[in-house]
Amino acid sequence: MKWLDEFFERKSRKVAQSASRRSALIGIGKLLVGSAFVLPVLPFDRTAQAAGAAASKKAAGKLPTDQDCEYWRYCAQDGYLCNCCGGTASSCPPGTEASKVSWIGTCHNPEDGKDYLISYNDCCGKTACGRCFCNTNEREMPGYRMGLHNDINWCMANDSTMFHCTLATVVGLANSQS
């Protein structure tokens, strides 16, 4: 083990003679800044957490209601539920109006086993509701597929661009292709 101590001592002395404290701090700074940009981009698998939450609700015997993020209609939801803000799942609260543009999702209804096409419209005209925020993003597409992407202020086509809450309106039965 003495040879290992001597090896590290030689290497440490060589680094100390050839590098200054300033260059060491610069290297550490580059490492920290570089990792700050890389770490948030790394993918994280959260499917186990979602499955665990769904299993615990099933075990409790409580099915999600239309005021829970786990409700089947909210599979591509991103925003505050209008149910909690004075409206319903398919109508805006008083004082707001539905956005003229929307994003779409196909959600599976476990009760009847069918897939439905859901139109998500933001309700515009008031400040954000602040209650019942859901961000499920199931099968969300990247931002360059505008009609399938939900991280946009969809109130941009309305007179008032203030976002209040989000509707999840069933448009129809999804066409299954075999």
Side-chain angles (χ1 to χ4, degrees):
M1 292 316 256
K2 184 178 178 182
W3 64 271
L4 188 63
D5 288 339
E6 290 172 353
F7 172 77
F8 278 108
E9 182 180 356
R10 277 194 313 273
K11 292 296 180 185
S12 298
R13 288 184 186 274
K14 188 173 183 179
V15 167
Q17 289 173 354
S18 63
S20 67
R21 281 178 267 171
R22 183 176 291 163
S23 67
L25 289 175
I26 289 171
I28 292 170
K30 285 180 182 178
L31 178 71
L32 291 175
V33 169
S35 65
F37 289 114
V38 171
L39 288 178
V41 177
L42 295 175
F44 293 98
D45 183 14
R46 294 185 177 97
T47 54
Q49 293 172 344
S56 66
K57 280 205 172 192
K58 276 187 180 178
K62 180 183 168 193
L63 292 175
T65 67
D66 61 357
Q67 291 192 348
D68 295 322
C69 292
E70 294 79 22
Y71 187 60
W72 70 270
R73 189 186 283 197
Y74 305 138
C75 71
Q77 178 82 21
D78 185 7
Y80 302 107
L81 299 178
C82 284
N83 291 10
C84 299
C85 303
T88 66
S90 57
S91 65
C92 288
T96 63
E97 66 175 343
S99 58
K100 295 175 183 167
V101 291
S102 66
W103 71 95
I104 57 168
T106 304
C107 300
H108 181 75
N109 184 349
E111 292 176 15
D112 64 7
K114 296 179 181 176
D115 292 333
Y116 291 89
L117 188 63
I118 309 293
S119 175
Y120 296 96
N121 291 74
D122 288 342
C123 291
C124 313
K126 288 184 175 179
T127 58
C129 169
R131 291 187 299 273
C132 300
F133 180 74
C134 296
N135 190 13
T136 48
N137 298 326
E138 191 175 303
R139 295 186 301 270
E140 179 186 18
M141 299 302 287
Y144 55 82
R145 297 279 311 268
M146 295 300 285
L148 302 177
H149 185 63
N150 62 11
D151 291 333
I152 295 171
N153 180 2
W154 290 96
C155 292
M156 62 192 158
N158 290 37
D159 293 333
S160 174
T161 58
M162 286 192 300
F163 163 76
H164 184 64
C165 62
T166 303
L167 302 174
T169 307
V170 177
V171 178
L173 197 57
N175 188 11
S176 62
Q177 296 177 352
S178 300

